[in-house]
Amino acid sequence: MFSFFKKKSPPARPPEGSAPIQPTAAPAPTPAAPSAAALAEPPAASGSDSGGLFGWLSKPVTALNPDAVAPVAVPPATPSAPPSPPPPSTPAPPAPAAPSVPTPATDVPPPAPAQAPAQAAALAPAATVALAPVAAPVPSPAAAPEPVIASVPAPAPTAAPEPARKGWLDRLKSGLRKTGSSIATVFTGTRIDDALYEELEDALLMADTGVKATQWLLTDLKRRVKEAKATEPAAVKGLLADALAELLRPLEKPLVIGEHQPTVIMVAGVNGAGKTTSIGKLTRHLAQHDQKVLLAAADTFRAAAREQLGVWADRNTVEIVSQEGGDPAAVSFDAVTAGKARGKDVVLVDTAGRLPTQLHLMEELKKIRRVVTKADATAPHEVLLVIDGNTGQNALAQVRAFDDALQLTGLVVTKLDGTAKGGVLAAIAQERPVPVYFIGVGEKLEDLETFNAREFAQALLG
């Protein structure tokens, strides 16, 4: 098994029956190293050695490398106290059994710097055999990248809203398609001249942007074209989108919830603008943000208005305060009081639809506001006006009238699908910049979304 450690015996070899030579008693190695021919000679067969399987221990192996054999035979000792020889009854010490299982710590010590090249070549196979077990633990570091792989899906929740928002933009573009197509036809020419600006002015006026907003857009557009040195009509369309987005920027404001407990939101509007439906959609929007909502059915004039609001309450699983034939101001007072007692986050007060020209109904709306203030000195915290996107410039008149009576804090623009023109928001931004919190493009619960000036400008221009 370890026959490759043998070498040719010297001529003056002691008889086989003599006592074994101890490694520590061997004389110091002579300066002359064995010849290469002697080392290259093939080892003798193990059967010819009368020492048995471990008979190679009787050879003067220390002559090759005393340091390599010393750790195997006996522990290191001082030169002044050599170890005692083993008893005669034992032919070989039990220590040689260790080489049958080589270990990197004891069997393969580092080679001495003064080794001869031939000796290093002779010991090379032993080093190769000893290093094989050491390479086994190498695959263990492969488990290190596992936490990194597990953390890769973490950003998934941030990417989830993107498809939903994209679907919303598609519905918004579809609702404003008529307006966008009429404006887009202006930029199909090949020249930027006065004729192009005249056609664009007509298209903007037809989109209900109003005279003041149209003049502002044309003036700003000409400035942008001059600064950008645009030469293609297609580039002018992009500059018009930038100008429209800048005009609508003051209307882009989020609805803040949580500064008051509860936040009282009063909703008003003309008949048929979609107040009750917008309240149902807004309730769903707030519920998705973990807000506890309480509805107040203060529309006691319209038939089945209370039942309609109750249906929305059931769909969104929220509570409702209503009184059949009661006073609208009293219902609002009870709802605000109940919201404070029940720990609600938001109280939505639905009021009856009325035209701004009906002065007695506008006075009743002011009364509801005063009574809500008695229930909570800081309420109402938000007064929203729901306007129909199909009413055109009449929507601007509604904003003026309700703002003068109630001091509006926000708008909800509905029905921007079908025949809606949408340009009225530019007129509102120019003359009465009340923030637009939400816009709607359908009757479904998910058809109400927050307003974004850039998205709306791009959808309006097709």
Side-chain angles (χ1 to χ4, degrees):
M1 179 177 179
F2 297 92
S3 58
F4 58 88
F5 282 104
K6 292 183 180 182
K7 78 176 191 71
K8 187 175 181 180
S9 304
R13 175 181 175 182
E16 296 180 357
S18 60
I21 302 174
Q22 301 300 325
T24 55
T30 58
S35 62
L39 292 176
E41 182 178 352
S46 58
S48 61
D49 190 4
S50 60
L53 179 61
F54 301 100
W56 56 274
L57 294 177
S58 301
K59 308 295 186 297
V61 183
T62 55
L64 293 177
N65 191 355
D67 297 332
V69 183
V72 179
V74 292
T78 58
S80 58
S84 58
S89 59
T90 305
S100 59
V101 184
T103 57
T106 58
D107 294 346
V108 185
Q115 263 187 338
Q119 295 175 352
L123 294 177
T128 305
V129 176
L131 290 177
V134 180
V138 173
S140 59
E146 292 182 357
V148 180
I149 297 174
S151 64
V152 172
T158 58
E162 292 182 0
R165 191 69 181 182
K166 185 178 182 300
W168 155 255
L169 292 178
D170 293 339
R171 294 195 300 272
L172 180 60
K173 291 179 181 179
S174 177
L176 300 174
R177 182 177 302 169
K178 293 184 178 181
T179 305
S181 60
S182 63
I183 297 178
T185 55
V186 178
F187 304 101
T188 56
T190 59
R191 297 178 58 185
I192 302 176
D193 50 10
D194 294 339
L196 183 143
Y197 289 115
E198 291 178 1
E199 293 180 8
L200 180 59
E201 181 179 3
D202 294 339
L204 292 175
L205 290 175
M206 293 296 294
D208 291 332
T209 57
V211 177
K212 293 183 179 180
T214 300
Q215 292 299 326
W216 187 93
L217 287 174
L218 291 176
T219 303
D220 188 67
L221 178 61
K222 292 178 181 179
R223 178 186 61 82
R224 292 175 182 269
V225 170
K226 184 178 180 180
E227 292 178 355
K229 298 180 181 180
T231 59
E232 298 293 334
V236 179
K237 182 180 178 181
L239 296 177
L240 178 61
D242 296 338
L244 182 59
E246 182 178 347
L247 178 61
L248 298 176
R249 193 76 63 190
L251 305 183
E252 184 179 332
K253 181 182 177 181
L255 176 63
V256 179
I257 301 296
E259 292 183 357
H260 305 276
Q261 188 73 22
T263 301
V264 181
I265 301 177
M266 183 177 173
V267 184
V270 300
N271 306 78
K275 295 183 309 302
T276 306
T277 303
S278 298
I279 288 176
K281 296 177 182 179
L282 182 58
T283 302
R284 178 182 180 274
H285 185 87
L286 294 172
Q288 287 180 339
H289 291 78
D290 300 329
Q291 301 294 317
K292 295 178 291 184
V293 183
L294 176 65
L295 301 181
D299 184 0
T300 59
F301 291 98
R302 183 170 61 91
R306 182 169 56 90
E307 289 77 8
Q308 181 184 2
L309 190 64
V311 172
W312 286 110
D314 294 338
R315 290 182 183 180
N316 296 288
T317 62
V318 298
E319 300 180 14
I320 183 174
V321 174
S322 62
Q323 296 178 7
E324 185 176 0
D327 182 68
V331 174
S332 303
F333 182 89
D334 294 343
V336 175
T337 305
K340 296 173 64 177
R342 301 175 188 178
K344 299 298 182 179
D345 298 316
V346 181
V347 176
L348 284 172
V349 180
D350 182 21
T351 62
R354 64 206 71 207
L355 295 175
T357 56
Q358 297 171 327
L359 300 181
H360 64 288
L361 296 181
M362 294 297 291
E363 290 297 329
E364 184 182 57
L365 201 59
K366 296 178 182 179
K367 176 185 175 182
I368 295 176
R369 180 184 174 93
R370 292 194 303 268
V371 172
V372 168
T373 304
K374 293 181 179 180
D376 187 343
T378 61
H381 308 104
E382 297 285 347
V383 180
L384 305 184
L385 176 65
V386 179
I387 58 177
D388 187 344
N390 297 312
T391 56
Q393 287 295 305
N394 191 24
L396 179 59
Q398 297 175 19
V399 173
R400 290 174 182 157
F402 281 92
D403 189 25
D404 294 339
L406 302 174
Q407 293 78 48
L408 298 176
T409 61
L411 302 177
V412 178
V413 183
T414 63
K415 305 180 183 180
L416 285 176
D417 52 342
T419 60
K421 297 181 179 180
V424 67
L425 292 185
I428 294 174
Q430 182 67 26
E431 300 187 32
R432 194 63 69 97
V434 180
V436 178
Y437 287 149
F438 300 94
I439 54 178
V441 294
E443 294 294 329
K444 298 180 181 179
L445 285 173
E446 60 272 12
D447 289 338
L448 186 74
E449 272 291 345
T450 55
F451 173 75
N452 184 282
R454 169 65 61 177
E455 294 175 354
F456 188 84
Q458 293 177 350
L460 184 64
L461 299 179

